[in-house]
Amino acid sequence: MDALVAQLQMQYRNYTVSLYQQGFLDDQFTELKKLQDDASPDFVAEVLSLFFDDCVKLIGNMARALDHTGTVDFSQVGASVHQLKGSSSSVGAKKVKGLCVTFKDYCEANNYEGCVRCLQQVDIEFKALKTKLQDMFNLEKQIIQAGGKVPQVDIN
């Protein structure tokens, strides 16, 4: 049992570090993880669940707004991008946040093609992040089920 826990913990450490190295997460995610404790063991998962729900809603809003070729309200799209950027920043979603910066520039320039490309990229990166974080949470559950403790991962 101890060997299994040690193996899962090492896998968890390596996987978490890879998410930072690949640019999916930044230091804000580390800060978010620090807020989780025994009194609120699902804190990060709950915050990220809200973030994911918010992303789906905002991406849908932006897609609908951009579906009106020629009559796009770029300020409306920009407001959704701004909200998504803030949400991404607060949870440490580095790639999504970075794309939002470019997306906002396209909105301000009323660049329809740039906005559509950015929306597609944001959707792809959001889905990739969600999958990777779900995998990370699954590893956490496996560690706990095996009788271990989820290790703190020092990124710096």
Side-chain angles (χ1 to χ4, degrees):
M1 192 72 120
D2 290 337
L4 173 63
V5 170
Q7 180 184 5
L8 289 169
Q9 288 171 329
M10 181 59 72
Q11 187 178 353
Y12 176 82
R13 281 187 195 95
N14 292 341
Y15 190 73
T16 302
V17 167
S18 77
L19 294 179
Y20 285 86
Q21 290 173 338
Q22 294 171 34
F24 284 100
L25 301 174
D26 64 21
D27 290 339
Q28 187 58 38
F29 185 78
T30 305
E31 295 303 312
L32 187 65
K33 290 284 280 182
K34 289 178 183 176
L35 296 175
Q36 184 166 294
D37 57 21
D38 292 340
S40 55
D42 296 325
F43 175 75
V44 174
E46 290 169 5
V47 168
L48 287 169
S49 178
L50 294 171
F51 167 70
F52 294 143
D53 291 346
D54 198 36
C55 283
V56 169
K57 181 185 79 171
L58 291 169
I59 290 170
N61 290 347
M62 291 183 284
R64 280 187 295 283
L66 289 169
D67 199 31
H68 303 293
T69 310
T71 60
V72 173
D73 182 349
F74 287 101
S75 64
Q76 178 188 5
V77 176
S80 291
V81 172
H82 182 73
Q83 189 176 348
L84 181 59
K85 180 181 169 234
S87 297
S88 301
S89 180
S90 68
V91 299
K94 186 177 181 180
K95 281 188 179 184
V96 175
K97 179 181 76 174
L99 285 168
C100 287
V101 172
T102 303
F103 199 162
K104 186 95 168 102
D105 291 342
Y106 283 128
C107 288
E108 290 170 359
N110 292 349
N111 183 328
Y112 177 78
E113 290 80 14
C115 285
V116 170
R117 276 194 312 275
C118 276
L119 177 61
Q120 291 167 343
Q121 289 177 303
V122 163
D123 190 48
I124 289 166
E125 289 302 331
F126 154 70
K127 288 175 180 169
L129 175 66
K130 184 175 182 180
T131 298
K132 290 184 178 293
L133 289 175
Q134 285 172 333
D135 291 344
M136 186 183 79
F137 292 136
N138 286 337
L139 269 173
E140 288 178 356
K141 287 178 187 172
Q142 289 175 30
I143 291 168
I144 292 166
Q145 288 171 350
K149 185 175 182 202
V150 176
Q152 291 292 330
V153 179
D154 185 21
I155 301 303
N156 299 326

